[in-house]
Amino acid sequence: MKRNSILLLLALLLAFASCSFTTKTFNDPDKDKLLIQLITYVLEQGHFDPKSIDDEFSKNVFESYLNQLDPYKRYFYESDIKEFSKYQNEIDNQIKDYDLSFFNLTHTRLLERIEETKALYQEVLSQPFNYDLEETFSSDYEKLDYVKNKKQMRERWRQQLKFSTIANYDDLLTLQEKSEDSEEIKSVAELEAESRETTLSQLDELYEFIDERLRKDWFSVYINAIVEEFDPHTFYFAPEDKDRFDVAMSGNFEGIGARLQKRLDGIIVNEIISGGPAWRQNELEVGDQILKVRQENESEAVNVVGMRLEDAIKFIKGPKGTKVTLSLKKVDGSITDVTITRDVVELEETYAKSSTVIKEDKKFGIINLPKFYVDFTDYKKRNAASDIRLEIERLKKENIEGLVLDLRNNGGGSLQTVVDIAGLFIKEGPVVQVKTAGEPKEILRDKDRSIVWDGPLVILVNELSASASEILAAAMQDYKRAIVIGSKQTYGKGTVQNVLDLNRMVRSNSSGDMGALKFTTQKFYRINGGSTQLEGVKSDVIVPDRYSYIDIGEKDQNNPLPWDKISPVDYDIWDGYFDFDSTIQKSTERMAINEQLKLIDANAQWVKQIRDRENFSLNYNQYKDELKRNEEEAKRFDKISEYRNNLSFVSLPYEVDLMTKDSVLKQKRDRWHESLAKDVYVEEAVNVLFDLKTAQPIKTKVASAVKE
């Protein structure tokens, strides 16, 4: 089983719990038992779809927990697993009895095995690796059996360490080949020894962090193995994680400006925060795996593979102005170093921004919305809906004839802003249905009859458009108010989570901070009755992108809630177009013969092939030949970045005035426009606007009613 993603910084639909069942209090003096009491009670009473804690549940927790403790199967022996197996059908009973026997046994044994492997990896790395042997390494750890004895354990470590070290060896050889200093030439034997020293240093650092982990840290792993059985968005935040989560929700970020997640032993880039250092540097991408981290004043990088996410982040974060170099495994399998200058993430770039775009003699508008932001303390302050309205009004003054709303990579946000934004494009009516377990469904409606934009509308989405983005795209699709262009489907997150501070439920707490629990409490549904859960929103015009074949959506997580449907609500289809279906057909035909999209699709398939590869040669010549083949194959896709769409993008007059005083803003907009000029998806969105005829003239007068 894959380890469920742990998102440190959330940009999805969240609310803070104020549920009636939280009035109950607990006071067990044993903190671990108290935590189990709290969490099981909250999930049984408050989760949207509570699981039966039975033998099947127990088996799933057993497998998930052991996989998280030992994903590479290089600590536990087959005999350990047999001993643990007597609890395979008993974890459910232990949860109900607040019995920690299984955790205590596995925790004690894990520490013993970790201690044993210290001498083992040092002994393996003390001897040279023979890279002339015909030998293959498999990275499909799920299919591996647990070893039976110390001889087999040593062989497992030898293979895994040889696989790790061959990359270091290749780096050193390549570096020497490129070096112009002939006096520093080292022999192959010296480079081989140096590559093992690098691996040894990396493991020593990793084990230092493992040794610093306290019992409570391992207990959090056990607790999350339990709660993640409910669904992938239910998660326990230990006190330290809760503090970090609180900072994340406040919107203050410092570091490289990326959201990270843990998957197996890898740290994966989950999102690039618009406006942040990584965004400005423009080389870090979603899906990249961070392998090593090096500070600007250090010669050696720290290996973060296998490290706890929170520990790795300590190396990645740092004071403003300092540089950090990340060694990355890109989505296509290539390894590269990226240096980023740390900074405070500029929140301004998380706000909506707009531009005009000219095709032939027609002018259109494009609005980019990175997330559905809101000030939770005062909704009437700046929020996504009020900003979108303002940008539309500014674009209307430029006499645009169509509008593109770009929701690609938008992970969600405030539900109310979705309803208000939808209301900018329709007279009135339902926008989304929300269902809480055991309660009647709630229908959220736009009640303001004014329309801010009644002209042609296209919405751009991709696989990373999630949650609130899916609600808006679905509503506009159901009303036939907009044509949705993008991936085969969006992310597929149709649930809402609450975050409960567990300390609120403890009477006379003497156990210290209990942390917090994020858990799923609601599902939302389209106005046609279907859920966006798992299926997401299916684009009217499907276009391939680099994530087309990568497991990246809700359906690819562990234990997602199922798709279902409820009764639809009454709503009136938009009658403003007379060629809606024929426009979709024309666009689909254009996409089928677009050479740029064919190349993007071929690249996406190649990326999947690279990522799915499980067997690797440990013979250096064969290893190097494979790297060269990948590099040559990658050159075939260089033309993707060379593409130009021949559209002209112009900032609005108010921003042009601001740019005379703000060179940084000008730099940001120039870069955005440069990106748009290479964007085949924006090009097709404009083509659709060009084709989409309206049944009545577009109203250019700004609507007088204010939507609140």
Side-chain angles (χ1 to χ4, degrees):
M1 293 173 65
K2 294 187 301 181
R3 181 174 180 182
N4 295 326
S5 302
I6 304 172
L7 304 184
L8 271 190
L9 305 177
L10 303 177
L12 306 179
L13 289 181
L14 287 170
F16 286 86
S18 57
C19 312
S20 59
F21 65 82
T22 61
T23 55
K24 182 173 179 177
T25 59
F26 299 80
N27 61 354
D28 194 305
D30 186 311
K31 185 175 182 179
D32 291 342
K33 293 182 178 181
L34 175 60
L35 186 57
I36 291 178
Q37 290 179 48
L38 288 170
I39 283 174
T40 53
Y41 176 78
V42 170
L43 293 178
E44 287 170 358
Q45 298 296 316
H47 195 276
F48 181 84
D49 186 19
K51 292 281 187 77
S52 297
I53 299 181
D54 52 19
D55 285 355
E56 182 181 358
F57 183 92
S58 181
K59 289 177 183 176
N60 292 337
V61 171
F62 180 85
E63 182 179 349
S64 176
Y65 173 57
L66 292 181
N67 187 56
Q68 292 181 45
L69 292 184
D70 188 13
Y72 296 155
K73 296 180 180 174
R74 62 183 187 184
Y75 295 136
F76 292 133
Y77 290 83
E78 183 182 273
S79 58
D80 294 325
I81 303 303
K82 285 183 179 178
E83 185 177 354
F84 300 157
S85 294
K86 67 181 181 182
Y87 293 100
Q88 192 168 9
N89 295 327
E90 292 298 320
I91 296 174
D92 54 325
N93 298 321
Q94 292 199 353
I95 291 171
K96 294 170 185 175
D97 295 336
Y98 318 128
D99 184 344
L100 304 179
S101 300
F102 174 63
F103 168 74
N104 289 333
L105 173 62
T106 53
H107 174 244
T108 301
R109 186 65 48 80
L110 178 66
L111 297 185
E112 290 174 3
R113 296 308 187 205
I114 288 174
E115 192 63 31
E116 290 171 3
T117 59
K118 289 180 182 178
L120 184 55
Y121 78 73
Q122 291 171 359
E123 187 268 324
V124 169
L125 290 171
S126 68
Q127 302 173 37
F129 289 123
N130 185 349
Y131 293 120
D132 293 327
L133 293 176
E134 295 287 333
E135 192 174 11
T136 301
F137 173 77
S138 173
S139 62
D140 188 356
Y141 302 108
E142 291 183 9
K143 291 181 180 178
L144 286 178
D145 294 324
Y146 287 96
V147 300
K148 296 180 179 180
N149 51 53
K150 290 184 177 181
K151 182 179 179 181
Q152 290 181 359
M153 182 66 80
R154 187 192 184 283
E155 176 60 16
R156 176 148 300 170
W157 272 90
R158 186 196 66 81
Q159 277 218 340
Q160 291 186 8
L161 291 177
K162 188 175 182 181
F163 179 63
S164 299
T165 307
I166 197 172
N168 296 333
Y169 179 60
D170 178 63
D171 287 344
L172 292 171
L173 279 172
T174 303
L175 189 63
Q176 179 161 285
E177 289 170 4
K178 294 179 179 178
S179 174
E180 298 178 357
D181 189 348
S182 58
E183 296 182 2
E184 291 295 324
I185 298 297
K186 297 179 181 179
S187 67
V188 169
E190 288 174 320
L191 293 176
E192 191 279 330
E194 189 175 335
S195 68
R196 282 184 286 113
E197 289 171 8
T198 301
T199 303
L200 178 63
S201 175
Q202 293 166 348
L203 274 171
D204 286 343
E205 289 170 346
L206 172 61
Y207 271 68
E208 283 180 20
F209 280 96
I210 291 175
D211 288 344
E212 289 175 3
R213 296 188 77 170
L214 303 176
R215 183 183 185 280
K216 64 179 182 180
D217 299 317
W218 295 109
F219 191 61
S220 292
V221 175
Y222 178 57
I223 290 294
N224 272 312
I226 294 171
V227 304
E228 288 173 357
E229 282 303 309
F230 284 75
D231 77 289
H233 304 289
T234 293
F235 184 77
Y236 168 67
F237 292 96
E240 183 181 272
D241 297 325
K242 180 171 74 74
D243 293 341
R244 189 179 296 112
F245 175 79
D246 292 340
V247 171
M249 291 305 293
S250 74
N252 298 314
F253 304 100
E254 185 175 280
I256 65 170
R259 306 183 199 277
L260 309 176
Q261 68 184 94
K262 182 86 177 211
R263 186 172 294 172
L264 284 178
D265 262 20
I267 293 171
I268 309 297
V269 178
N270 184 62
E271 182 182 350
I272 306 297
I273 301 171
S274 182
W279 178 87
R280 295 197 299 271
Q281 196 267 354
N282 203 27
E283 290 186 43
L284 192 67
E285 298 177 289
V286 170
D288 288 349
Q289 180 183 352
I290 300 176
L291 304 176
K292 304 175 187 175
V293 182
R294 180 172 61 81
Q295 312 306 319
E296 61 182 330
N297 59 348
E298 297 177 354
S299 58
E300 293 292 330
V302 175
N303 188 338
V304 296
V305 176
M307 194 178 287
R308 286 192 307 167
L309 187 54
E310 52 267 37
D311 291 332
I313 286 173
K314 292 173 184 175
F315 288 102
I316 297 168
K317 291 177 68 176
K320 175 182 176 180
T322 58
K323 293 181 179 179
V324 61
T325 299
L326 307 178
S327 293
L328 305 172
K329 183 177 183 181
K330 306 294 286 184
V331 292
D332 63 2
S334 62
I335 307 295
T336 187
D337 286 354
V338 170
T339 299
I340 301 172
T341 301
R342 300 179 178 103
D343 200 352
V344 176
V345 175
E346 300 172 43
L347 294 181
E348 182 66 30
E349 284 303 319
T350 67
Y351 295 141
K353 58 179 179 280
S354 68
S355 172
T356 58
V357 51
I358 298 171
K359 176 180 169 63
E360 297 178 12
D361 60 341
K362 292 184 180 293
K363 184 185 290 186
F364 303 100
I366 181 169
I367 298 176
N368 176 272
L369 184 65
K371 67 179 182 179
F372 291 81
Y373 49 87
V374 67
D375 186 332
F376 285 104
T377 62
D378 186 355
Y379 187 79
K380 292 185 178 180
K381 288 184 179 179
R382 185 174 190 180
N383 63 62
S386 62
D387 279 0
I388 292 288
R389 175 191 170 89
L390 182 58
E391 296 302 327
I392 293 174
E393 290 172 346
R394 288 166 171 163
L395 288 166
K396 287 172 73 171
K397 290 177 181 177
E398 299 301 306
N399 298 312
I400 64 167
E401 298 184 52
L403 179 64
V404 178
L405 181 58
D406 189 352
L407 300 180
R408 290 175 296 177
N409 305 317
N410 184 322
S414 161
L415 187 59
Q416 185 57 50
T417 60
V418 179
V419 177
D420 290 345
I421 291 173
L424 302 175
F425 306 115
I426 60 174
K427 288 181 181 179
E428 61 180 343
V431 175
V432 63
Q433 304 185 80
V434 182
K435 186 83 171 62
T436 304
E439 297 182 13
K441 70 179 182 182
E442 180 184 6
I443 302 171
L444 303 185
R445 302 175 179 271
D446 167 52
K447 299 177 181 178
D448 184 345
R449 291 183 58 83
S450 69
I451 301 176
V452 176
W453 177 251
D454 64 347
L457 178 64
V458 167
I459 293 179
L460 285 174
V461 297
N462 64 4
E463 292 89 349
L464 299 176
S465 302
S467 206
S469 292
E470 296 174 289
I471 295 173
L472 180 58
M476 295 299 96
Q477 192 177 61
D478 289 344
Y479 276 106
K480 285 201 168 183
R481 177 62 186 91
I483 291 178
V484 178
I485 299 177
S487 52
K488 184 177 180 181
Q489 70 162 76
T490 52
Y491 188 88
K493 181 180 183 291
T495 57
V496 183
Q497 283 72 43
N498 283 303
V499 179
L500 174 65
D501 185 341
L502 296 173
N503 297 294
R504 291 173 46 189
M505 301 183 64
V506 182
R507 183 170 62 248
S508 303
N509 184 12
S510 59
S511 300
D513 195 337
M514 300 301 297
L517 181 67
K518 176 167 68 77
F519 58 106
T520 299
T521 56
Q522 296 174 313
K523 283 177 83 171
F524 47 76
Y525 298 83
R526 303 171 67 134
I527 54 179
N528 69 8
S531 173
T532 57
Q533 176 67 10
L534 295 186
E535 294 192 0
V537 177
K538 293 177 171 56
S539 298
D540 297 310
V541 179
I542 298 171
V543 290
D545 63 29
R546 70 179 311 176
Y547 301 114
S548 294
Y549 303 99
I550 295 176
D551 296 339
I552 206 168
E554 179 86 358
K555 65 182 182 301
D556 303 306
Q557 305 300 314
N558 285 337
N559 310 311
L561 295 187
W563 180 90
D564 64 338
K565 63 187 300 184
I566 59 176
S567 58
V569 291
D570 293 331
Y571 60 97
D572 297 322
I573 299 293
W574 177 259
D575 59 0
Y577 305 125
F578 62 75
D579 62 346
F580 189 88
D581 294 330
S582 63
T583 298
I584 291 175
Q585 181 61 32
K586 275 195 232 176
S587 179
T588 301
E589 291 170 358
R590 273 194 302 268
M591 295 296 91
I593 61 174
N594 186 297
E595 292 301 321
Q596 174 74 352
L597 289 175
K598 288 181 181 179
L599 191 60
I600 289 172
D601 187 62
N603 179 241
Q605 293 186 48
W606 178 68
V607 166
K608 176 173 175 55
Q609 178 184 330
I610 293 293
R611 289 171 66 91
D612 288 351
R613 186 179 170 204
E614 295 173 345
N615 295 311
F616 302 86
S617 176
L618 296 180
N619 174 285
Y620 180 71
N621 290 332
Q622 294 176 13
Y623 176 87
K624 190 66 175 178
D625 287 344
E626 185 63 30
L627 289 180
K628 289 178 179 177
R629 280 194 294 271
N630 288 342
E631 289 171 2
E632 287 302 311
E633 182 72 7
K635 291 177 182 177
R636 185 162 70 96
F637 305 112
D638 287 345
K639 290 183 180 179
I640 292 175
S641 60
E642 298 169 4
Y643 183 78
R644 307 286 299 191
N645 57 32
N646 296 319
L647 299 173
S648 300
F649 299 89
V650 181
S651 292
L652 300 186
Y654 86 97
E655 276 203 335
V656 173
D657 290 340
L658 290 174
M659 288 176 197
T660 61
K661 304 172 185 176
D662 187 347
S663 60
V664 175
L665 176 62
K666 185 178 187 308
Q667 180 184 4
K668 290 176 183 175
R669 292 300 177 263
D670 286 347
R671 179 176 155 187
W672 182 42
H673 292 167
E674 175 67 16
S675 175
L676 292 174
K678 296 181 176 182
D679 196 326
V680 66
Y681 311 102
V682 168
E683 179 182 33
E684 182 54 26
V686 172
N687 287 337
V688 168
L689 291 177
F690 201 83
D691 293 342
L692 200 55
K693 305 297 190 298
T694 56
Q696 67 272 327
I698 299 169
K699 297 174 185 176
T700 57
K701 184 179 178 181
V702 175
S704 57
V706 177
K707 292 178 178 288
E708 295 185 349

